[in-house]
Amino acid sequence: MNDLKYCQGPSCHQYTTQDRLKGIKGSKTFQTRRRSSLYYGNENFCDQRCLYDWVNKYIEQGLDHFGRTTKAKHLTEQNAWIKDYDYNYRNEGNEKTNYRSVNRVTKEQRPLTEAQYNDINYTLNTGE
Ligand SMILES: [Zn+2]
């Protein structure tokens, strides 16, 4: 039971679906959805409506808190690296091969190990 997570949507309990109707017979109430897996908003919301309810309620506070974009950012050599790979369709299982970093500005490619590809902190980018 500890693995169940509540939807973080501020109005989840306001949506009167049968699966939200819980409790003892005679005193049932519509309640916030609780699931072992939530699929929206980094696994915090039961559906898109609840995700956008949260966004609409908190977006101004969030932008004020974390800082707004006030001037254009630029894609440059220093921040243009992305990771890519090819599928090897000849083998069963469609193995991924040829892991590489690709610079979208210079078109330069550099090989990556599978571990580097899977490491979300590994990047050649040196700027935002
Ligand atoms: Zn919800």
Side-chain angles (χ1 to χ4, degrees):
M1 288 299 270
N2 289 336
D3 294 321
L4 297 177
K5 301 198 306 188
Y6 285 107
C7 172
Q8 297 301 303
S11 302
C12 193
H13 62 291
Q14 300 280 355
Y15 302 122
T16 55
T17 59
Q18 282 308 303
D19 71 294
R20 288 179 170 97
L21 190 58
K22 300 260 168 112
I24 299 157
K25 209 170 190 176
S27 61
K28 292 190 179 210
T29 55
F30 291 101
Q31 300 179 16
T32 301
R33 275 181 173 157
R34 195 178 183 205
R35 299 276 164 78
S36 56
S37 298
L38 298 167
Y39 297 102
Y40 296 85
N42 204 23
E43 302 181 5
N44 286 300
F45 300 92
C46 71
D47 60 20
Q48 278 198 343
R49 179 164 59 176
C50 281
L51 168 59
Y52 280 103
D53 285 346
W54 191 94
V55 168
N56 287 331
K57 186 169 182 180
Y58 295 112
I59 191 165
E60 296 301 324
Q61 285 171 256
L63 288 170
D64 286 341
H65 181 79
F66 295 108
R68 291 172 186 269
T69 298
T70 55
K71 58 186 191 301
K73 297 176 183 176
H74 299 263
L75 187 68
T76 65
E77 277 182 53
Q78 286 70 41
N79 64 13
W81 291 99
I82 56 167
K83 296 175 178 178
D84 201 3
Y85 61 82
D86 294 325
Y87 264 123
N88 184 356
Y89 292 106
R90 267 168 264 164
N91 292 348
E92 279 185 44
N94 294 338
E95 289 172 23
K96 294 175 184 175
T97 63
N98 192 22
Y99 293 100
R100 60 194 181 274
S101 288
V102 178
N103 192 298
R104 286 167 289 161
V105 171
T106 63
K107 309 301 180 197
E108 182 185 350
Q109 298 196 10
R110 295 185 195 170
L112 278 180
T113 65
E114 186 174 353
Q116 287 170 331
Y117 180 87
N118 291 323
D119 181 352
I120 57 166
N121 294 314
Y122 182 85
T123 179
L124 296 178
N125 290 324
T126 55
E128 195 183 328

